[in-house]
Short mmCIF file of all heavy atoms in Angstrom, two decimals:
data_model
loop_
_atom_site.label_atom_id
_atom_site.label_comp_id
_atom_site.label_asym_id
_atom_site.label_seq_id
_atom_site.Cartn_x
_atom_site.Cartn_y
_atom_site.Cartn_z
N THR A 94 -30.02 88.81 -94.93
CA THR A 94 -31.33 88.90 -94.21
C THR A 94 -31.45 90.20 -93.43
O THR A 94 -32.58 90.50 -92.98
CB THR A 94 -31.45 87.74 -93.20
OG1 THR A 94 -30.43 87.84 -92.22
CG2 THR A 94 -31.40 86.38 -93.87
N GLY A 95 -30.44 90.88 -93.20
CA GLY A 95 -30.52 92.12 -92.42
C GLY A 95 -30.07 91.85 -90.99
O GLY A 95 -29.62 92.83 -90.31
N GLY A 96 -29.93 90.61 -90.59
CA GLY A 96 -29.35 90.32 -89.28
C GLY A 96 -27.81 90.15 -89.43
O GLY A 96 -27.03 91.00 -89.85
N ASP A 97 -27.36 88.88 -89.31
CA ASP A 97 -25.93 88.58 -89.42
C ASP A 97 -25.52 88.28 -90.89
O ASP A 97 -24.39 88.04 -91.18
CB ASP A 97 -25.53 87.37 -88.57
CG ASP A 97 -26.17 86.04 -89.12
OD1 ASP A 97 -26.91 86.07 -89.99
OD2 ASP A 97 -25.88 85.04 -88.32
N GLY A 98 -26.48 88.41 -91.81
CA GLY A 98 -26.18 88.26 -93.29
C GLY A 98 -26.38 86.86 -93.85
O GLY A 98 -26.21 86.71 -95.05
N THR A 99 -26.76 85.93 -93.04
CA THR A 99 -26.94 84.58 -93.55
C THR A 99 -28.28 83.97 -93.06
O THR A 99 -28.72 84.42 -92.03
CB THR A 99 -25.79 83.61 -93.19
OG1 THR A 99 -25.72 83.57 -91.80
CG2 THR A 99 -24.47 84.19 -93.73
N LEU A 100 -28.65 82.97 -93.74
CA LEU A 100 -29.79 82.11 -93.28
C LEU A 100 -29.39 80.85 -92.82
O LEU A 100 -28.34 80.34 -93.29
CB LEU A 100 -30.71 82.03 -94.41
CG LEU A 100 -31.46 83.26 -94.99
CD1 LEU A 100 -32.19 82.88 -96.20
CD2 LEU A 100 -32.30 83.92 -93.92
N THR A 101 -30.08 80.30 -91.83
CA THR A 101 -29.75 78.93 -91.48
C THR A 101 -30.31 78.05 -92.44
O THR A 101 -31.13 78.34 -93.25
CB THR A 101 -30.37 78.56 -90.08
OG1 THR A 101 -31.80 78.68 -90.27
CG2 THR A 101 -29.98 79.55 -88.95
N GLN A 102 -29.94 76.72 -92.52
CA GLN A 102 -30.40 75.71 -93.36
C GLN A 102 -31.88 75.63 -93.17
O GLN A 102 -32.60 75.45 -94.24
CB GLN A 102 -29.72 74.35 -93.13
CG GLN A 102 -28.30 74.35 -93.54
CD GLN A 102 -28.18 74.41 -95.13
OE1 GLN A 102 -28.37 75.49 -95.70
NE2 GLN A 102 -27.90 73.30 -95.74
N GLU A 103 -32.39 75.62 -91.98
CA GLU A 103 -33.83 75.58 -91.82
C GLU A 103 -34.58 76.84 -92.45
O GLU A 103 -35.63 76.58 -93.00
CB GLU A 103 -34.09 75.51 -90.28
CG GLU A 103 -35.64 75.32 -89.99
CD GLU A 103 -35.84 75.17 -88.45
OE1 GLU A 103 -34.88 74.59 -87.78
OE2 GLU A 103 -36.95 75.46 -88.00
N GLN A 104 -34.02 77.94 -92.24
CA GLN A 104 -34.65 79.14 -92.85
C GLN A 104 -34.71 78.98 -94.36
O GLN A 104 -35.61 79.26 -95.04
CB GLN A 104 -33.95 80.45 -92.53
CG GLN A 104 -34.19 80.82 -90.96
CD GLN A 104 -33.20 81.93 -90.54
OE1 GLN A 104 -32.00 81.92 -90.95
NE2 GLN A 104 -33.69 82.86 -89.70
N ILE A 105 -33.56 78.52 -94.96
CA ILE A 105 -33.51 78.33 -96.39
C ILE A 105 -34.53 77.34 -96.82
O ILE A 105 -35.31 77.59 -97.76
CB ILE A 105 -32.05 77.84 -96.82
CG1 ILE A 105 -31.07 79.02 -96.58
CG2 ILE A 105 -31.98 77.46 -98.35
CD1 ILE A 105 -29.64 78.54 -96.61
N ALA A 106 -34.56 76.15 -96.20
CA ALA A 106 -35.52 75.18 -96.57
C ALA A 106 -37.00 75.72 -96.51
O ALA A 106 -37.82 75.35 -97.33
CB ALA A 106 -35.40 73.91 -95.70
N THR A 107 -37.25 76.45 -95.40
CA THR A 107 -38.56 77.04 -95.30
C THR A 107 -38.90 77.95 -96.46
O THR A 107 -39.93 77.86 -97.02
CB THR A 107 -38.56 77.87 -93.95
OG1 THR A 107 -38.42 76.94 -92.87
CG2 THR A 107 -39.99 78.52 -93.84
N ARG A 108 -37.95 78.79 -96.83
CA ARG A 108 -38.19 79.70 -97.90
C ARG A 108 -38.30 78.95 -99.31
O ARG A 108 -39.21 79.26 -100.11
CB ARG A 108 -37.01 80.70 -98.05
CG ARG A 108 -37.12 81.80 -96.92
CD ARG A 108 -36.19 82.83 -97.14
NE ARG A 108 -36.25 83.76 -95.98
CZ ARG A 108 -35.75 84.87 -96.05
NH1 ARG A 108 -35.10 85.43 -97.02
NH2 ARG A 108 -35.78 85.74 -94.90
N VAL A 109 -37.53 77.86 -99.42
CA VAL A 109 -37.69 77.12 -100.69
C VAL A 109 -39.08 76.42 -100.75
O VAL A 109 -39.78 76.52 -101.80
CB VAL A 109 -36.59 76.03 -100.66
CG1 VAL A 109 -36.82 75.04 -101.85
CG2 VAL A 109 -35.17 76.62 -100.92
N ALA A 110 -39.45 75.93 -99.64
CA ALA A 110 -40.77 75.24 -99.61
C ALA A 110 -42.07 76.31 -99.81
O ALA A 110 -42.86 76.03 -100.54
CB ALA A 110 -40.95 74.53 -98.21
N GLN A 111 -41.80 77.50 -99.15
CA GLN A 111 -42.79 78.49 -99.37
C GLN A 111 -42.95 78.92 -100.77
O GLN A 111 -43.99 79.03 -101.37
CB GLN A 111 -42.50 79.63 -98.42
CG GLN A 111 -42.79 79.47 -97.05
CD GLN A 111 -42.30 80.59 -96.18
OE1 GLN A 111 -41.41 81.39 -96.58
NE2 GLN A 111 -42.71 80.59 -94.88
N ARG A 112 -41.69 79.12 -101.43
CA ARG A 112 -41.74 79.47 -102.84
C ARG A 112 -42.22 78.46 -103.72
O ARG A 112 -43.06 78.60 -104.70
CB ARG A 112 -40.23 79.82 -103.27
CG ARG A 112 -39.70 81.07 -102.64
CD ARG A 112 -40.45 82.34 -103.16
NE ARG A 112 -40.12 82.44 -104.55
CZ ARG A 112 -40.89 82.98 -105.44
NH1 ARG A 112 -42.04 83.48 -105.05
NH2 ARG A 112 -40.62 83.15 -106.68
N ALA A 113 -41.99 77.10 -103.37
CA ALA A 113 -42.42 76.00 -104.25
C ALA A 113 -44.03 75.93 -104.03
O ALA A 113 -44.61 75.71 -105.07
CB ALA A 113 -41.81 74.74 -103.65
N GLN A 114 -44.56 76.10 -102.96
CA GLN A 114 -45.94 76.04 -102.68
C GLN A 114 -46.71 77.17 -103.43
O GLN A 114 -47.82 77.03 -103.88
CB GLN A 114 -46.27 76.10 -101.29
CG GLN A 114 -45.92 74.75 -100.43
CD GLN A 114 -46.03 74.88 -99.13
OE1 GLN A 114 -46.25 75.97 -98.41
NE2 GLN A 114 -45.85 73.77 -98.35
N SER A 115 -46.06 78.29 -103.59
CA SER A 115 -46.69 79.40 -104.23
C SER A 115 -46.38 79.34 -105.75
O SER A 115 -46.78 80.33 -106.52
CB SER A 115 -46.21 80.76 -103.69
OG SER A 115 -44.80 81.00 -104.01
N GLY A 116 -45.66 78.33 -106.21
CA GLY A 116 -45.29 78.22 -107.64
C GLY A 116 -44.12 79.13 -108.02
O GLY A 116 -43.91 79.19 -109.32
N GLY A 117 -43.41 79.56 -107.20
CA GLY A 117 -42.34 80.41 -107.45
C GLY A 117 -41.05 79.60 -107.76
O GLY A 117 -41.06 78.41 -107.74
N GLY A 118 -39.87 80.29 -107.76
CA GLY A 118 -38.72 79.70 -108.14
C GLY A 118 -37.69 79.76 -107.02
O GLY A 118 -37.88 79.11 -105.89
N MET A 119 -36.70 80.55 -107.11
CA MET A 119 -35.62 80.49 -106.19
C MET A 119 -36.02 81.11 -104.79
O MET A 119 -37.11 81.79 -104.76
CB MET A 119 -34.44 81.42 -106.68
CG MET A 119 -33.73 80.91 -107.88
SD MET A 119 -32.77 79.47 -107.56
CE MET A 119 -31.46 80.21 -106.68
N PRO A 120 -35.37 80.72 -103.69
CA PRO A 120 -35.78 81.31 -102.43
C PRO A 120 -35.71 82.84 -102.42
O PRO A 120 -34.76 83.34 -103.11
CB PRO A 120 -34.83 80.64 -101.48
CG PRO A 120 -33.92 79.81 -102.27
CD PRO A 120 -34.36 79.90 -103.65
N MET A 121 -36.51 83.42 -101.75
CA MET A 121 -36.44 84.90 -101.63
C MET A 121 -35.72 85.37 -100.58
O MET A 121 -35.65 84.81 -99.48
CB MET A 121 -37.90 85.47 -101.56
CG MET A 121 -38.78 84.96 -102.68
SD MET A 121 -38.12 85.30 -104.28
CE MET A 121 -38.87 86.93 -104.66
N GLY A 122 -35.01 86.50 -100.66
CA GLY A 122 -34.32 87.07 -99.62
C GLY A 122 -33.85 88.43 -99.92
O GLY A 122 -33.83 88.82 -101.05
N GLY A 123 -33.47 89.24 -98.97
CA GLY A 123 -32.90 90.55 -99.22
C GLY A 123 -34.12 91.55 -99.46
O GLY A 123 -35.25 91.17 -99.50
N PRO A 124 -33.75 92.83 -99.49
CA PRO A 124 -34.70 93.87 -99.56
C PRO A 124 -35.53 93.69 -100.87
O PRO A 124 -36.75 94.15 -100.88
CB PRO A 124 -33.92 95.13 -99.61
CG PRO A 124 -32.60 94.81 -99.06
CD PRO A 124 -32.41 93.35 -99.42
N GLY A 125 -34.99 93.41 -102.04
CA GLY A 125 -35.75 93.31 -103.25
C GLY A 125 -36.45 91.98 -103.48
O GLY A 125 -37.14 91.85 -104.45
N GLY A 126 -36.23 91.04 -102.57
CA GLY A 126 -36.77 89.75 -102.70
C GLY A 126 -35.98 88.72 -103.50
O GLY A 126 -36.34 87.52 -103.55
N MET A 127 -34.92 89.10 -104.17
CA MET A 127 -34.07 88.09 -104.87
C MET A 127 -32.66 88.14 -104.25
O MET A 127 -32.22 89.08 -103.81
CB MET A 127 -34.02 88.59 -106.35
CG MET A 127 -35.24 88.48 -107.06
SD MET A 127 -35.82 86.74 -107.41
CE MET A 127 -34.71 86.31 -108.63
#
Side-chain angles (χ1 to χ4, degrees):
T94 61
D97 66 359
T99 60
L100 295 175
T101 66
Q102 288 292 73
E103 184 172 333
Q104 290 168 319
I105 293 166
T107 299
R108 287 185 183 199
V109 169
Q111 288 169 341
R112 293 287 298 149
Q114 289 172 351
S115 68
M119 294 291 286
M121 303 305 271
M127 293 290 288

